[in-house]
Amino acid sequence: MEYEWKPDEQGLQQILQLLKESQSPDNNTQRAVQQKLEQLNQFPDFNNYLIFVLTKLKSEDEPTRSLSGLILKNNVKAHFQNFPNGVTDFIKSECLNNIGDSSPLIRATVGILITTIASKGELQNWPELLPKLCGLLDSEDYNTCEGAFGALQKICEDSAEILDSDVLERPLNVMIPKFLQFFKHSSPKIRSHAVACVNQFIIGRTQALMLHIDSFIENLFALATDEESEVRKNVCRALVMLLEVRMDRLLPHMHNIVEYMLLRTQDQDENVALEACEFWLTLAEQPICKDVLSRHLTKLIPVLVNGMKYSEIDIILLKGDVEEDEAVPDSEQDIRPRFHRSRTVAQAHEEDGIEEDDEDDDELDDDENISDWNIRKCSAAALDILANVFCEELLPHILPLLKELLFHLEWVIKESGILVLGAIAEGCMQGMIPYLPELIPHLIQCLADKKALVRSITCWTLSRYAHWVVSQPPDMYLKPLMTELLKRILDSNKRVQEAACSAFATLEEEACTELVPYLAYILDTLVFAFSKYQHKNLLILYDAIGTLADSVGHHLNKSEYIQMLMPPLIQKWNVLKDEDKDLFPLLECLSSVATALQSGFLPYCEPVYQRCVNLVQKTLQQSMLHNAQPDQYESPDKDFMIVALDLLSGLAEGLGGQIEQLVARSNILTLMYQCMQDKMPEVRQSSFALLGDLTKACFQHVKACIADFMPILGTNLNPELISVCNNATWAIGEISIQMGIEMQPYVPMVLNQLVEIINRPNTPKTLLENTAITIGRLGYVCPQEVAPMLQQFIRPWCTSLRNIRDNEEKDSAFRGICTMISVNPGGVVQDFIFFCDAVASWINPKEDLRDMFCKILHGFKNQVGDENWRRFSDQFPLPLKERLAAYYGV
């Protein structure tokens, strides 16, 4: 029987009153409405009233009716499983009967409601939905057809996976051919829906679409010059996705597609142009990019470069005409959450001292308050990647344009030229070098431009060439650049301050100790900025100070520098409350400063140490309360604990043995025992780093806990979590050195995992190096336990340690390998050439270590005899041969 339901007049008035109130801007009214809605949800037919207002109460205004539908949608999301059957059926039938409402707003609301019900697992329990909607597409009535298509588009967006599974007997086999018919419909809105529906199934390589792929592509081409911008946008989006999944089908038409996309990237409609611009970004990441685009660069490069200008709207949104705003406080929503990167222990390398996988912090983020992604950013990103694909070949197309832009009188055009120069820095660096002696001084002049937006982009572009600047004699470019950048750090415009601070941090990383002669001048500026900066830039300033400390290290430990730097930092430290997230960047900064100052940090260490321990303890307590009673207690923000553990590591590293008293008087080891077992990987990662640092600084306090700690370290040797595994491995190595022969009972807990990790393909370099060092150290203190496995790890062990610099860790690891070889010489025979190569990687080993190498090399040579040794050493590359002869006489 048809479900008959009539509203009660009084109830209806009450709900209409509520809907009116909920449109009020007043927060208190809003809160009252929320409470009332919660109460009304207790009544089973409350949702009938809501659907009634949406679909039947035509006397009400549309915004109110739509709102009623949106509240119903939220109820469906939250409580659908509790709706009585009658209510569910009434809502479903009302939706289907009103999908063709004459108002676009009501149709769209009904469509949202339908897809929300569908995505609550109801596609299975509403078998008539898809056939009914597909049937309505053929309606003569435009509203019905458009409404049904709108709903189908939302369902395709929300439920693409289940539509393409066996659960529903593969409805797409019918739906996709049906959608394709509508590509030629007379209404632009309907054509647009049709393409959008099919687009949902490209990335998943849906079989039903792959069967019709040629007809799909043909239909897309037919719509290429559609007068409706929404249709052109969807065509561009489809081609971008097809590039990733069905390149084979596009290839025959590639020349025409590229020509088409060139036009669309210059489309009058900005949304179309942005979709088209994505095409270059995607194509640049495909292996065939070079073949396809070479002949089009002449046309493409000017289009991308042109897209890099600020639009008039951008400039208005960026307040481009406001030059001075340093006194205007930041609005809190402008401050983006920062992510703390937990400590990872890594080795210094021979070549350059630059660690690998250095995440690019110099991404283009110059205007985050414009709608995040725009043509300017997309064009710049595409040019950046293309520069990496084509390298020098790009320059003939770019240099003539750059000449014109960089010296242009209009600031908007000049600004775009500076952005272009920065975007190509990485890919075209080699080819740009001849021009840099002229360009860098010009850019340094642009740092003083009267337009703030020119000054800020110039900071970024100069940071992209910092590596080259630092490679030249310091008086040539480094000194003038630094002088000007420091002025910009004190600019009266906040965006320039931010760009200058970030650029300066990049310069610090590149220049390292080259900055030492200018330290007083640099600190002067950074400390002055403290008194000048608003909230958001203060956070970036902390980063610049921390990076400075990392870059110059112990050179910062002079009393005059400490007198300048520490008071403002400690002042901020005292003002901030324990629950203030601004503590994160400040703690990170102090961690770098403490490590650099070493004993110079002693006067400040006690309150800093205490507070860190308190932060860890507070977070753990809050976490335990939350786990016991989740509805009573919120879960804590564990970043507080992570950052505090990392600062404790910095203190331990900086103060060494001088931290012993503080550790003795605190319960830090008990807290660490809990942190090491935390569910969150980053907490474990930081606690293992601290364990390693405390092991080095004051093992007497750690030793008592080793029996508890070692099994936990063993279970964390899981290479799926790279950083956790890396820090646990490093800590085990530090512990072995301190434990000596007492390490024996613990070797079985860790050795097999370590050997497995070192033999794993695709393991990151840092983890391989730390694993090799720890295996060597275990073998150094417990050779009898580790040497029998020598053959299983000697080869990867040698190859992973040949590239790291001479240091203590490398020293103890090689002593371990030599000791193990003397216990089990057979284990190294097959891979002896790798051992020779690893030995040759030492620049100057300590005297007794060199003797160990000598003994093994000569022992092997005598063992095999001169003739065999000659044959064997003939396989060596020449430098290796010469080195071994010179250093070890073999």
Side-chain angles (χ1 to χ4, degrees), residues 32-51:
V33 169
Q34 279 315 47
Q35 282 173 323
K36 199 79 207 279
L37 288 173
E38 284 308 312
Q39 290 161 7
L40 287 170
N41 264 313
Q42 310 307 313
F43 296 99
D45 64 351
F46 171 49
N47 293 300
N48 287 357
Y49 281 92
L50 292 173
I51 190 81

Side-chain angles (χ1 to χ4, degrees), residues 439-479:
L439 283 176
I440 298 293
H442 175 63
L443 286 172
I444 293 174
Q445 268 183 317
C446 293
L447 280 176
D449 194 275
K450 62 182 196 304
K451 292 303 288 183
L453 288 171
V454 174
R455 300 197 297 277
S456 60
I457 197 67
T458 306
C459 291
W460 178 75
T461 292
L462 278 163
S463 76
R464 302 266 290 178
Y465 290 96
H467 188 76
W468 180 82
V469 167
V470 171
S471 70
Q472 304 300 304
D475 282 351
M476 302 261 305
Y477 309 104
L478 178 60
K479 205 169 159 188

